[in-house]
mmCIF file of all heavy atoms in Angstrom:
data_model
loop_
_atom_site.group_PDB
_atom_site.id
_atom_site.type_symbol
_atom_site.label_atom_id
_atom_site.label_comp_id
_atom_site.label_asym_id
_atom_site.label_seq_id
_atom_site.Cartn_x
_atom_site.Cartn_y
_atom_site.Cartn_z
ATOM 1 N N LEU A 216 -2.180 -11.015 -6.033
ATOM 2 C CA LEU A 216 -2.994 -11.309 -7.210
ATOM 3 C C LEU A 216 -3.904 -12.510 -7.010
ATOM 4 O O LEU A 216 -4.901 -12.652 -7.713
ATOM 5 C CB LEU A 216 -2.088 -11.542 -8.423
ATOM 6 C CG LEU A 216 -1.159 -10.379 -8.771
ATOM 7 C CD1 LEU A 216 -0.258 -10.756 -9.938
ATOM 8 C CD2 LEU A 216 -1.952 -9.124 -9.087
ATOM 9 N N THR A 217 -3.552 -13.366 -6.054
ATOM 10 C CA THR A 217 -4.343 -14.581 -5.810
ATOM 11 C C THR A 217 -4.524 -14.790 -4.310
ATOM 12 O O THR A 217 -3.819 -14.186 -3.500
ATOM 13 C CB THR A 217 -3.632 -15.823 -6.385
ATOM 14 O OG1 THR A 217 -2.428 -16.045 -5.638
ATOM 15 C CG2 THR A 217 -3.313 -15.660 -7.865
ATOM 16 N N ASP A 218 -5.428 -15.691 -3.971
ATOM 17 C CA ASP A 218 -5.609 -16.061 -2.568
ATOM 18 C C ASP A 218 -4.314 -16.646 -2.007
ATOM 19 O O ASP A 218 -3.952 -16.388 -0.861
ATOM 20 C CB ASP A 218 -6.743 -17.072 -2.412
ATOM 21 C CG ASP A 218 -8.111 -16.466 -2.664
ATOM 22 O OD1 ASP A 218 -8.231 -15.222 -2.689
ATOM 23 O OD2 ASP A 218 -9.067 -17.242 -2.846
ATOM 24 N N ASP A 219 -3.619 -17.422 -2.822
ATOM 25 C CA ASP A 219 -2.348 -18.005 -2.380
ATOM 26 C C ASP A 219 -1.317 -16.933 -2.055
ATOM 27 O O ASP A 219 -0.526 -17.091 -1.123
ATOM 28 C CB ASP A 219 -1.787 -18.965 -3.435
ATOM 29 C CG ASP A 219 -2.550 -20.282 -3.489
ATOM 30 O OD1 ASP A 219 -3.220 -20.623 -2.492
ATOM 31 O OD2 ASP A 219 -2.458 -20.964 -4.521
ATOM 32 N N ASP A 220 -1.315 -15.830 -2.827
ATOM 33 C CA ASP A 220 -0.415 -14.715 -2.520
ATOM 34 C C ASP A 220 -0.691 -14.170 -1.119
ATOM 35 O O ASP A 220 0.234 -13.917 -0.348
ATOM 36 C CB ASP A 220 -0.570 -13.573 -3.524
ATOM 37 C CG ASP A 220 0.012 -13.870 -4.887
ATOM 38 O OD1 ASP A 220 0.782 -14.847 -5.017
ATOM 39 O OD2 ASP A 220 -0.299 -13.106 -5.827
ATOM 40 N N TYR A 221 -1.984 -13.984 -0.811
ATOM 41 C CA TYR A 221 -2.361 -13.485 0.515
ATOM 42 C C TYR A 221 -1.894 -14.448 1.613
ATOM 43 O O TYR A 221 -1.299 -14.044 2.596
ATOM 44 C CB TYR A 221 -3.883 -13.310 0.638
ATOM 45 C CG TYR A 221 -4.417 -12.020 0.098
ATOM 46 C CD1 TYR A 221 -5.109 -11.987 -1.100
ATOM 47 C CD2 TYR A 221 -4.262 -10.829 0.796
ATOM 48 C CE1 TYR A 221 -5.628 -10.792 -1.596
ATOM 49 C CE2 TYR A 221 -4.778 -9.640 0.309
ATOM 50 C CZ TYR A 221 -5.458 -9.630 -0.890
ATOM 51 O OH TYR A 221 -5.960 -8.460 -1.374
ATOM 52 N N ILE A 222 -2.185 -15.703 1.425
ATOM 53 C CA ILE A 222 -1.850 -16.712 2.440
ATOM 54 C C ILE A 222 -0.348 -16.787 2.660
ATOM 55 O O ILE A 222 0.125 -16.771 3.800
ATOM 56 C CB ILE A 222 -2.424 -18.090 2.033
ATOM 57 C CG1 ILE A 222 -3.955 -18.046 2.089
ATOM 58 C CG2 ILE A 222 -1.867 -19.198 2.920
ATOM 59 C CD1 ILE A 222 -4.634 -19.209 1.405
ATOM 60 N N THR A 223 0.402 -16.837 1.574
ATOM 61 C CA THR A 223 1.858 -16.939 1.670
ATOM 62 C C THR A 223 2.434 -15.722 2.391
ATOM 63 O O THR A 223 3.283 -15.857 3.274
ATOM 64 C CB THR A 223 2.488 -17.071 0.266
ATOM 65 O OG1 THR A 223 1.966 -18.249 -0.347
ATOM 66 C CG2 THR A 223 3.992 -17.140 0.340
ATOM 67 N N GLU A 224 1.965 -14.539 2.021
ATOM 68 C CA GLU A 224 2.497 -13.317 2.631
ATOM 69 C C GLU A 224 2.102 -13.213 4.102
ATOM 70 O O GLU A 224 2.919 -12.835 4.945
ATOM 71 C CB GLU A 224 2.029 -12.086 1.855
ATOM 72 C CG GLU A 224 2.668 -10.794 2.300
ATOM 73 C CD GLU A 224 4.159 -10.715 2.023
ATOM 74 O OE1 GLU A 224 4.713 -11.545 1.278
ATOM 75 O OE2 GLU A 224 4.802 -9.783 2.577
ATOM 76 N N LEU A 225 0.867 -13.541 4.418
ATOM 77 C CA LEU A 225 0.431 -13.507 5.822
ATOM 78 C C LEU A 225 1.246 -14.475 6.677
ATOM 79 O O LEU A 225 1.672 -14.125 7.785
ATOM 80 C CB LEU A 225 -1.055 -13.843 5.931
ATOM 81 C CG LEU A 225 -2.014 -12.722 5.591
ATOM 82 C CD1 LEU A 225 -3.438 -13.256 5.495
ATOM 83 C CD2 LEU A 225 -1.925 -11.597 6.600
ATOM 84 N N GLU A 226 1.460 -15.665 6.167
ATOM 85 C CA GLU A 226 2.258 -16.643 6.913
ATOM 86 C C GLU A 226 3.675 -16.121 7.144
ATOM 87 O O GLU A 226 4.226 -16.264 8.236
ATOM 88 C CB GLU A 226 2.303 -17.979 6.173
ATOM 89 C CG GLU A 226 1.014 -18.751 6.260
ATOM 90 C CD GLU A 226 1.024 -20.044 5.469
ATOM 91 O OE1 GLU A 226 1.871 -20.207 4.551
ATOM 92 O OE2 GLU A 226 0.167 -20.897 5.753
ATOM 93 N N LYS A 227 4.237 -15.515 6.126
ATOM 94 C CA LYS A 227 5.604 -14.988 6.247
ATOM 95 C C LYS A 227 5.656 -13.847 7.266
ATOM 96 O O LYS A 227 6.569 -13.784 8.085
ATOM 97 C CB LYS A 227 6.098 -14.518 4.883
ATOM 98 C CG LYS A 227 7.577 -14.309 4.810
ATOM 99 C CD LYS A 227 8.013 -14.126 3.360
ATOM 100 C CE LYS A 227 9.516 -13.925 3.289
ATOM 101 N NZ LYS A 227 9.962 -13.713 1.905
ATOM 102 N N LEU A 228 4.664 -12.957 7.225
ATOM 103 C CA LEU A 228 4.619 -11.849 8.187
ATOM 104 C C LEU A 228 4.432 -12.343 9.620
ATOM 105 O O LEU A 228 5.012 -11.795 10.554
ATOM 106 C CB LEU A 228 3.504 -10.866 7.820
ATOM 107 C CG LEU A 228 3.753 -9.996 6.598
ATOM 108 C CD1 LEU A 228 2.457 -9.334 6.139
ATOM 109 C CD2 LEU A 228 4.823 -8.958 6.873
ATOM 110 N N LEU A 229 3.621 -13.369 9.781
ATOM 111 C CA LEU A 229 3.336 -13.889 11.119
ATOM 112 C C LEU A 229 4.461 -14.762 11.678
ATOM 113 O O LEU A 229 4.655 -14.822 12.890
ATOM 114 C CB LEU A 229 2.037 -14.689 11.100
ATOM 115 C CG LEU A 229 0.761 -13.883 10.874
ATOM 116 C CD1 LEU A 229 -0.419 -14.818 10.653
ATOM 117 C CD2 LEU A 229 0.501 -12.935 12.031
ATOM 118 N N ASN A 230 5.194 -15.419 10.802
ATOM 119 C CA ASN A 230 6.189 -16.391 11.262
ATOM 120 C C ASN A 230 7.636 -15.921 11.187
ATOM 121 O O ASN A 230 8.516 -16.595 11.713
ATOM 122 C CB ASN A 230 6.047 -17.694 10.457
ATOM 123 C CG ASN A 230 4.715 -18.363 10.721
ATOM 124 O OD1 ASN A 230 4.235 -18.391 11.842
ATOM 125 N ND2 ASN A 230 4.118 -18.892 9.670
ATOM 126 N N ASN A 231 7.873 -14.800 10.557
ATOM 127 C CA ASN A 231 9.238 -14.306 10.399
ATOM 128 C C ASN A 231 9.325 -12.895 10.970
ATOM 129 O O ASN A 231 9.007 -11.908 10.282
ATOM 130 C CB ASN A 231 9.634 -14.341 8.918
ATOM 131 C CG ASN A 231 11.069 -13.970 8.672
ATOM 132 O OD1 ASN A 231 11.670 -13.213 9.419
ATOM 133 N ND2 ASN A 231 11.615 -14.482 7.586
ATOM 134 N N GLN A 232 9.762 -12.778 12.219
ATOM 135 C CA GLN A 232 9.784 -11.484 12.906
ATOM 136 C C GLN A 232 10.690 -10.473 12.199
ATOM 137 O O GLN A 232 10.359 -9.293 12.111
ATOM 138 C CB GLN A 232 10.237 -11.659 14.361
ATOM 139 C CG GLN A 232 10.062 -10.414 15.205
ATOM 140 C CD GLN A 232 8.600 -10.013 15.363
ATOM 141 O OE1 GLN A 232 7.747 -10.845 15.616
ATOM 142 N NE2 GLN A 232 8.315 -8.728 15.194
ATOM 143 N N GLU A 233 11.820 -10.929 11.690
ATOM 144 C CA GLU A 233 12.740 -10.025 10.992
ATOM 145 C C GLU A 233 12.090 -9.447 9.728
ATOM 146 O O GLU A 233 12.198 -8.257 9.444
ATOM 147 C CB GLU A 233 14.024 -10.769 10.631
ATOM 148 C CG GLU A 233 15.092 -9.892 10.021
ATOM 149 C CD GLU A 233 16.379 -10.662 9.760
ATOM 150 O OE1 GLU A 233 16.740 -11.526 10.575
ATOM 151 O OE2 GLU A 233 17.004 -10.383 8.719
ATOM 152 N N TYR A 234 11.393 -10.296 8.992
ATOM 153 C CA TYR A 234 10.678 -9.874 7.780
ATOM 154 C C TYR A 234 9.596 -8.854 8.141
ATOM 155 O O TYR A 234 9.473 -7.819 7.494
ATOM 156 C CB TYR A 234 10.080 -11.104 7.107
ATOM 157 C CG TYR A 234 9.371 -10.851 5.804
ATOM 158 C CD1 TYR A 234 10.090 -10.586 4.646
ATOM 159 C CD2 TYR A 234 7.982 -10.909 5.724
ATOM 160 C CE1 TYR A 234 9.442 -10.371 3.435
ATOM 161 C CE2 TYR A 234 7.335 -10.702 4.525
ATOM 162 C CZ TYR A 234 8.067 -10.428 3.387
ATOM 163 O OH TYR A 234 7.418 -10.213 2.186
ATOM 164 N N TYR A 235 8.822 -9.152 9.186
ATOM 165 C CA TYR A 235 7.778 -8.232 9.639
ATOM 166 C C TYR A 235 8.387 -6.894 10.062
ATOM 167 O O TYR A 235 7.888 -5.833 9.683
ATOM 168 C CB TYR A 235 6.979 -8.831 10.794
ATOM 169 C CG TYR A 235 5.940 -7.861 11.315
ATOM 170 C CD1 TYR A 235 4.684 -7.788 10.729
ATOM 171 C CD2 TYR A 235 6.233 -6.990 12.363
ATOM 172 C CE1 TYR A 235 3.738 -6.890 11.181
ATOM 173 C CE2 TYR A 235 5.291 -6.078 12.815
ATOM 174 C CZ TYR A 235 4.050 -6.026 12.220
ATOM 175 O OH TYR A 235 3.123 -5.121 12.643
ATOM 176 N N ASN A 236 9.450 -6.940 10.838
ATOM 177 C CA ASN A 236 10.074 -5.706 11.320
ATOM 178 C C ASN A 236 10.561 -4.826 10.176
ATOM 179 O O ASN A 236 10.436 -3.598 10.231
ATOM 180 C CB ASN A 236 11.239 -6.018 12.266
ATOM 181 C CG ASN A 236 10.773 -6.561 13.590
ATOM 182 O OD1 ASN A 236 9.612 -6.428 13.972
ATOM 183 N ND2 ASN A 236 11.676 -7.209 14.305
ATOM 184 N N GLU A 237 11.108 -5.453 9.142
ATOM 185 C CA GLU A 237 11.574 -4.691 7.977
ATOM 186 C C GLU A 237 10.408 -3.972 7.298
ATOM 187 O O GLU A 237 10.489 -2.794 6.976
ATOM 188 C CB GLU A 237 12.266 -5.628 6.991
ATOM 189 C CG GLU A 237 12.839 -4.923 5.793
ATOM 190 C CD GLU A 237 13.549 -5.874 4.850
ATOM 191 O OE1 GLU A 237 14.086 -6.901 5.306
ATOM 192 O OE2 GLU A 237 13.561 -5.582 3.645
ATOM 193 N N LYS A 238 9.310 -4.689 7.092
ATOM 194 C CA LYS A 238 8.126 -4.077 6.464
ATOM 195 C C LYS A 238 7.518 -3.013 7.377
ATOM 196 O O LYS A 238 7.041 -1.982 6.907
ATOM 197 C CB LYS A 238 7.095 -5.139 6.105
ATOM 198 C CG LYS A 238 7.625 -6.111 5.067
ATOM 199 C CD LYS A 238 6.696 -6.301 3.940
ATOM 200 C CE LYS A 238 7.325 -7.291 2.960
ATOM 201 N NZ LYS A 238 6.592 -7.361 1.725
ATOM 202 N N HIS A 239 7.555 -3.256 8.691
ATOM 203 C CA HIS A 239 7.056 -2.290 9.672
ATOM 204 C C HIS A 239 7.816 -0.969 9.563
ATOM 205 O O HIS A 239 7.209 0.099 9.463
ATOM 206 C CB HIS A 239 7.200 -2.897 11.081
ATOM 207 C CG HIS A 239 7.048 -1.923 12.190
ATOM 208 N ND1 HIS A 239 5.822 -1.451 12.594
ATOM 209 C CD2 HIS A 239 7.970 -1.320 12.987
ATOM 210 C CE1 HIS A 239 5.993 -0.601 13.595
ATOM 211 N NE2 HIS A 239 7.289 -0.506 13.846
ATOM 212 N N ILE A 240 9.140 -1.039 9.561
ATOM 213 C CA ILE A 240 9.964 0.168 9.464
ATOM 214 C C ILE A 240 9.744 0.862 8.124
ATOM 215 O O ILE A 240 9.602 2.089 8.060
ATOM 216 C CB ILE A 240 11.449 -0.185 9.684
ATOM 217 C CG1 ILE A 240 11.667 -0.574 11.142
ATOM 218 C CG2 ILE A 240 12.365 0.971 9.293
ATOM 219 C CD1 ILE A 240 12.996 -1.257 11.416
#
Side-chain angles (χ1 to χ4, degrees):
L216 302 177
T217 67
D218 289 345
D219 286 339
D220 287 346
Y221 277 106
I222 292 166
T223 300
E224 187 66 12
L225 281 170
E226 286 177 341
K227 196 168 180 181
L228 288 166
L229 291 171
N230 295 320
N231 185 331
Q232 190 64 45
E233 185 176 323
Y234 183 74
Y235 177 86
N236 289 342
E237 183 179 330
K238 296 230 180 190
H239 166 77
I240 290 166

